Amino acid sequence: DQQVKQNSPSLSVQEGRISILNCDYTNSMFDYFLWYKKYPAEGPTFLISISSIKDKNEDGRFTVFLNKSAKHLSLHIVPSQPGDSAVYFCAAQRTDSWGKLQFGAGTQVVVTP
Amino acid sequence: GAGVSQSPSNKVTEKGKDVELRCDPISGHTALYWYRQSLGQGLEFLIYFQGNSAPDKSGLPSDRFSAERTGGSVSTLTIQRTQQEDSAVYLCASSPQREPSTDTQYFGPGTRLTVL
């Protein structure tokens, strides 16, 4: 049962433009959400997170938006850079159940010059 | 400091053989996790160790899978009588477990397991 879904397997965006990655979840008990970035042959690295008490969190070029009523979150990258080309995973957890991150299938982002 | 390390980086085995995958977490991290990523899929939680508590094994797909964490540090994931559907990248992560709202899992590079 896939509780976290990333319905776009890939995204191509021009350098300097905005990348928008989407993620939907089904479990209303999730209260902490994360985005991880993964380069080939490396493990995922933490990018940004958001607690369910917030609807937006910003860190430099990266902003995560959370819409709890729609069970939807998105990651915005502005402006996109070639080094952002990677697979991005959305993850969710219940903070009363440490460690059991539920991951989406990932979105491959390609930033073109 | 050193990150999470895993060995081997690649493992090719024959169906029916046993394999052991190793994880060295970041020093001082009390929590350790195993995930696997099958082709085209997201990361799937397998097992979670926290300090001296009993591990959460709820994600292990069958009794052929087991894991140990010795001395609160190094962990070994063992797969007995491997099957072709076990082929995946096995990822280990560790975290300091200080606070649920800020805890971050740090991942190793993974072990790519191929069962022929």
Side-chain angles (χ1 to χ4, degrees):
Chain A
D1 177 28
Q2 194 76 9
Q3 299 187 56
V4 179
K5 297 178 183 177
Q6 294 176 256
N7 292 319
S8 298
S10 64
L11 173 69
S12 182
V13 64
Q14 209 167 17
E15 182 177 1
R17 301 290 187 114
I18 183 171
S19 295
I20 300 177
L21 290 79
N22 294 302
C23 177
D24 297 290
Y25 61 96
T26 57
N27 189 340
S28 59
M29 298 297 291
F30 288 144
D31 56 2
Y32 189 54
F33 305 89
L34 309 91
W35 286 92
Y36 278 81
K37 176 180 179 179
K38 185 180 185 302
Y39 293 117
E42 295 183 11
T45 55
F46 170 75
L47 193 56
I48 193 168
S49 63
I50 188 166
S51 164
S52 61
I53 62 173
K54 296 184 176 182
D55 55 18
K56 177 182 175 181
N57 189 26
E58 192 171 354
D59 184 2
R61 296 186 298 113
F62 302 91
T63 303
V64 57
F65 296 92
L66 175 63
N67 182 333
K68 280 188 297 184
S69 60
K71 296 192 181 68
H72 177 83
L73 65 155
S74 61
L75 174 69
H76 292 206
I77 307 173
V78 184
S80 300
Q81 299 174 353
D84 296 332
S85 296
V87 177
Y88 290 79
F89 291 100
C90 171
Q93 75 170 70
R94 295 172 51 168
T95 51
D96 64 350
S97 178
W98 284 58
K100 294 176 71 171
L101 289 176
Q102 300 283 340
F103 282 86
T107 297
Q108 172 77 60
V109 172
V110 176
V111 180
T112 57
Chain B
V4 177
S5 61
Q6 293 185 245
S7 61
S9 55
N10 280 285
K11 176 72 177 178
V12 180
T13 190
E14 294 179 348
K15 178 181 172 182
K17 296 283 181 72
D18 297 352
V19 295
E20 283 190 354
L21 312 179
R22 178 187 167 105
C23 172
D24 284 87
I26 293 172
S27 177
H29 280 191
T30 60
L32 186 148
Y33 318 80
W34 284 98
Y35 295 86
R36 74 174 175 182
Q37 185 182 13
S38 302
L39 191 63
Q41 304 294 315
L43 281 72
E44 174 191 4
F45 167 81
L46 296 177
I47 187 169
Y48 156 52
F49 295 90
Q50 166 54 8
N52 296 320
S53 303
D56 179 343
K57 304 180 182 180
S58 60
L60 294 178
S62 78
D63 59 6
R64 296 187 295 105
F65 288 73
S66 63
E68 289 186 340
R69 188 177 185 193
T70 54
S73 181
V74 171
S75 177
T76 302
L77 177 70
T78 301
I79 309 172
Q80 296 178 311
R81 304 181 303 281
T82 52
Q83 304 293 313
Q84 288 181 332
E85 61 263 28
D86 300 334
S87 296
V89 176
Y90 289 81
L91 290 153
C92 174
S94 69
S95 74
Q97 283 265 293
R98 292 191 200 99
E99 174 68 34
S101 62
T102 59
D103 195 56
T104 297
Q105 295 184 25
Y106 297 84
F107 284 82
T111 294
R112 181 176 295 278
L113 175 66
T114 303
V115 182
L116 302 177

Short mmCIF file of all heavy atoms in Angstrom, two decimals, chain B residues 29-56:
data_model
loop_
_atom_site.label_atom_id
_atom_site.label_comp_id
_atom_site.label_asym_id
_atom_site.label_seq_id
_atom_site.Cartn_x
_atom_site.Cartn_y
_atom_site.Cartn_z
N HIS B 29 25.52 8.26 16.62
CA HIS B 29 24.10 8.15 16.25
C HIS B 29 23.51 6.92 16.92
O HIS B 29 24.02 5.81 16.80
CB HIS B 29 23.95 8.05 14.73
CG HIS B 29 24.05 9.37 14.05
ND1 HIS B 29 23.72 9.55 12.73
CD2 HIS B 29 24.43 10.59 14.51
CE1 HIS B 29 23.88 10.82 12.41
NE2 HIS B 29 24.33 11.47 13.47
N THR B 30 22.38 7.13 17.60
CA THR B 30 21.79 6.02 18.35
C THR B 30 20.80 5.21 17.53
O THR B 30 20.49 4.09 17.88
CB THR B 30 21.08 6.55 19.61
OG1 THR B 30 20.05 7.47 19.21
CG2 THR B 30 22.06 7.27 20.53
N ALA B 31 20.31 5.79 16.46
CA ALA B 31 19.30 5.09 15.66
C ALA B 31 19.90 4.65 14.34
O ALA B 31 20.72 5.35 13.73
CB ALA B 31 18.10 5.99 15.41
N LEU B 32 19.50 3.46 13.89
CA LEU B 32 19.99 2.90 12.63
C LEU B 32 18.81 2.27 11.91
O LEU B 32 17.97 1.60 12.52
CB LEU B 32 21.10 1.88 12.90
CG LEU B 32 21.83 1.30 11.69
CD1 LEU B 32 23.28 0.99 12.04
CD2 LEU B 32 21.14 0.07 11.14
N TYR B 33 18.76 2.47 10.60
CA TYR B 33 17.64 2.03 9.78
C TYR B 33 18.17 1.28 8.55
O TYR B 33 19.21 1.63 8.01
CB TYR B 33 16.82 3.21 9.27
CG TYR B 33 16.57 4.31 10.29
CD1 TYR B 33 17.56 5.26 10.57
CD2 TYR B 33 15.35 4.41 10.94
CE1 TYR B 33 17.34 6.26 11.49
CE2 TYR B 33 15.13 5.43 11.86
CZ TYR B 33 16.13 6.34 12.13
OH TYR B 33 15.90 7.35 13.05
N TRP B 34 17.40 0.33 8.12
CA TRP B 34 17.65 -0.33 6.83
C TRP B 34 16.43 -0.11 5.93
O TRP B 34 15.27 -0.25 6.38
CB TRP B 34 17.87 -1.82 7.00
CG TRP B 34 19.21 -2.22 7.51
CD1 TRP B 34 19.56 -2.53 8.79
CD2 TRP B 34 20.41 -2.40 6.74
NE1 TRP B 34 20.88 -2.86 8.88
CE2 TRP B 34 21.43 -2.81 7.63
CE3 TRP B 34 20.72 -2.26 5.39
CZ2 TRP B 34 22.74 -3.08 7.21
CZ3 TRP B 34 22.01 -2.53 4.96
CH2 TRP B 34 23.01 -2.93 5.87
N TYR B 35 16.72 0.24 4.68
CA TYR B 35 15.70 0.38 3.65
C TYR B 35 16.18 -0.41 2.43
O TYR B 35 17.36 -0.72 2.30
CB TYR B 35 15.54 1.84 3.21
CG TYR B 35 15.02 2.78 4.27
CD1 TYR B 35 15.88 3.39 5.17
CD2 TYR B 35 13.66 3.10 4.34
CE1 TYR B 35 15.40 4.27 6.14
CE2 TYR B 35 13.18 3.99 5.29
CZ TYR B 35 14.06 4.57 6.18
OH TYR B 35 13.60 5.46 7.12
N ARG B 36 15.26 -0.67 1.52
CA ARG B 36 15.69 -1.17 0.22
C ARG B 36 14.91 -0.45 -0.86
O ARG B 36 13.79 0.01 -0.66
CB ARG B 36 15.51 -2.69 0.10
CG ARG B 36 14.09 -3.16 -0.08
CD ARG B 36 14.06 -4.66 -0.33
NE ARG B 36 12.71 -5.15 -0.39
CZ ARG B 36 12.38 -6.43 -0.56
NH1 ARG B 36 13.34 -7.34 -0.68
NH2 ARG B 36 11.12 -6.79 -0.61
N GLN B 37 15.58 -0.33 -2.00
CA GLN B 37 14.97 0.31 -3.15
C GLN B 37 15.03 -0.65 -4.32
O GLN B 37 16.11 -0.92 -4.87
CB GLN B 37 15.68 1.62 -3.50
CG GLN B 37 14.99 2.37 -4.63
CD GLN B 37 15.70 3.63 -5.02
OE1 GLN B 37 16.84 3.88 -4.65
NE2 GLN B 37 15.01 4.48 -5.78
N SER B 38 13.88 -1.17 -4.68
CA SER B 38 13.79 -2.03 -5.86
C SER B 38 13.68 -1.13 -7.09
O SER B 38 13.32 0.05 -6.99
CB SER B 38 12.59 -2.96 -5.76
OG SER B 38 12.68 -3.75 -4.59
N LEU B 39 13.95 -1.71 -8.25
CA LEU B 39 13.98 -0.93 -9.48
C LEU B 39 12.66 -0.20 -9.70
O LEU B 39 11.60 -0.81 -9.69
CB LEU B 39 14.27 -1.88 -10.66
CG LEU B 39 14.59 -1.20 -12.00
CD1 LEU B 39 15.87 -0.38 -11.88
CD2 LEU B 39 14.74 -2.24 -13.10
N GLY B 40 12.77 1.12 -9.89
CA GLY B 40 11.58 1.92 -10.17
C GLY B 40 10.68 2.19 -8.98
O GLY B 40 9.60 2.76 -9.14
N GLN B 41 11.13 1.79 -7.80
CA GLN B 41 10.32 1.98 -6.59
C GLN B 41 10.97 2.97 -5.65
O GLN B 41 12.15 3.30 -5.78
CB GLN B 41 10.15 0.64 -5.87
CG GLN B 41 9.57 -0.47 -6.71
CD GLN B 41 8.14 -0.20 -7.11
OE1 GLN B 41 7.32 0.22 -6.31
NE2 GLN B 41 7.84 -0.43 -8.38
N GLY B 42 10.18 3.44 -4.69
CA GLY B 42 10.73 4.27 -3.63
C GLY B 42 11.45 3.41 -2.61
O GLY B 42 11.51 2.19 -2.72
N LEU B 43 11.99 4.07 -1.61
CA LEU B 43 12.66 3.34 -0.54
C LEU B 43 11.61 2.67 0.35
O LEU B 43 10.63 3.29 0.74
CB LEU B 43 13.52 4.28 0.30
CG LEU B 43 14.87 4.67 -0.28
CD1 LEU B 43 14.73 5.61 -1.45
CD2 LEU B 43 15.74 5.28 0.79
N GLU B 44 11.87 1.41 0.66
CA GLU B 44 10.96 0.63 1.48
C GLU B 44 11.62 0.35 2.83
O GLU B 44 12.71 -0.21 2.90
CB GLU B 44 10.68 -0.69 0.75
CG GLU B 44 9.86 -1.70 1.53
CD GLU B 44 9.85 -3.06 0.83
OE1 GLU B 44 10.53 -3.22 -0.20
OE2 GLU B 44 9.17 -3.96 1.34
N PHE B 45 10.95 0.77 3.91
CA PHE B 45 11.48 0.56 5.25
C PHE B 45 11.56 -0.93 5.57
O PHE B 45 10.63 -1.69 5.29
CB PHE B 45 10.57 1.25 6.27
CG PHE B 45 10.82 0.87 7.70
CD1 PHE B 45 11.85 1.44 8.41
CD2 PHE B 45 10.04 -0.10 8.31
CE1 PHE B 45 12.08 1.08 9.73
CE2 PHE B 45 10.26 -0.46 9.63
CZ PHE B 45 11.29 0.14 10.34
N LEU B 46 12.68 -1.35 6.17
CA LEU B 46 12.85 -2.74 6.54
C LEU B 46 12.88 -2.92 8.06
O LEU B 46 12.08 -3.67 8.63
CB LEU B 46 14.15 -3.31 5.95
CG LEU B 46 14.23 -3.37 4.43
CD1 LEU B 46 15.60 -3.89 3.99
CD2 LEU B 46 13.13 -4.25 3.85
N ILE B 47 13.82 -2.24 8.73
CA ILE B 47 14.01 -2.46 10.16
C ILE B 47 14.65 -1.22 10.77
O ILE B 47 15.35 -0.47 10.09
CB ILE B 47 14.86 -3.73 10.40
CG1 ILE B 47 14.93 -4.09 11.90
CG2 ILE B 47 16.27 -3.54 9.83
CD1 ILE B 47 15.55 -5.47 12.16
N TYR B 48 14.43 -1.04 12.08
CA TYR B 48 14.90 0.15 12.78
C TYR B 48 15.40 -0.26 14.15
O TYR B 48 14.73 -0.97 14.89
CB TYR B 48 13.72 1.12 12.87
CG TYR B 48 13.71 2.15 13.96
CD1 TYR B 48 14.79 2.99 14.17
CD2 TYR B 48 12.58 2.33 14.75
CE1 TYR B 48 14.75 3.97 15.15
CE2 TYR B 48 12.53 3.30 15.73
CZ TYR B 48 13.62 4.13 15.93
OH TYR B 48 13.58 5.09 16.88
N PHE B 49 16.64 0.19 14.47
CA PHE B 49 17.24 -0.04 15.78
C PHE B 49 17.34 1.30 16.50
O PHE B 49 17.77 2.30 15.92
CB PHE B 49 18.67 -0.60 15.62
CG PHE B 49 18.74 -1.96 15.00
CD1 PHE B 49 18.86 -2.10 13.63
CD2 PHE B 49 18.73 -3.09 15.80
CE1 PHE B 49 18.94 -3.35 13.05
CE2 PHE B 49 18.83 -4.36 15.23
CZ PHE B 49 18.93 -4.48 13.85
N GLN B 50 17.00 1.30 17.78
CA GLN B 50 17.17 2.51 18.59
C GLN B 50 17.77 2.10 19.93
O GLN B 50 17.12 1.45 20.75
CB GLN B 50 15.85 3.22 18.80
CG GLN B 50 15.83 4.29 19.90
CD GLN B 50 16.91 5.35 19.77
OE1 GLN B 50 17.63 5.41 18.76
NE2 GLN B 50 17.05 6.20 20.77
N GLY B 51 19.02 2.47 20.13
CA GLY B 51 19.70 2.20 21.38
C GLY B 51 19.61 0.73 21.74
O GLY B 51 19.88 -0.15 20.93
N ASN B 52 19.22 0.48 22.98
CA ASN B 52 19.12 -0.90 23.47
C ASN B 52 17.70 -1.46 23.37
O ASN B 52 17.44 -2.57 23.84
CB ASN B 52 19.58 -0.96 24.94
CG ASN B 52 21.05 -0.61 25.08
OD1 ASN B 52 21.86 -1.00 24.25
ND2 ASN B 52 21.39 0.15 26.11
N SER B 53 16.82 -0.69 22.76
CA SER B 53 15.44 -1.16 22.64
C SER B 53 15.32 -2.28 21.62
O SER B 53 16.19 -2.42 20.75
CB SER B 53 14.52 0.00 22.20
OG SER B 53 14.61 1.07 23.10
N ALA B 54 14.26 -3.05 21.74
CA ALA B 54 14.02 -4.10 20.75
C ALA B 54 13.80 -3.45 19.39
O ALA B 54 13.12 -2.44 19.27
CB ALA B 54 12.79 -4.91 21.14
N PRO B 55 14.40 -4.00 18.33
CA PRO B 55 14.26 -3.39 17.01
C PRO B 55 12.83 -3.48 16.49
O PRO B 55 12.08 -4.39 16.83
CB PRO B 55 15.22 -4.19 16.14
CG PRO B 55 15.40 -5.49 16.85
CD PRO B 55 15.26 -5.20 18.31
N ASP B 56 12.48 -2.53 15.67
CA ASP B 56 11.19 -2.56 14.96
C ASP B 56 11.41 -3.30 13.65
O ASP B 56 12.00 -2.76 12.72
CB ASP B 56 10.72 -1.13 14.72
CG ASP B 56 9.39 -1.06 13.97
OD1 ASP B 56 8.97 -2.07 13.36
OD2 ASP B 56 8.77 0.01 13.98
#
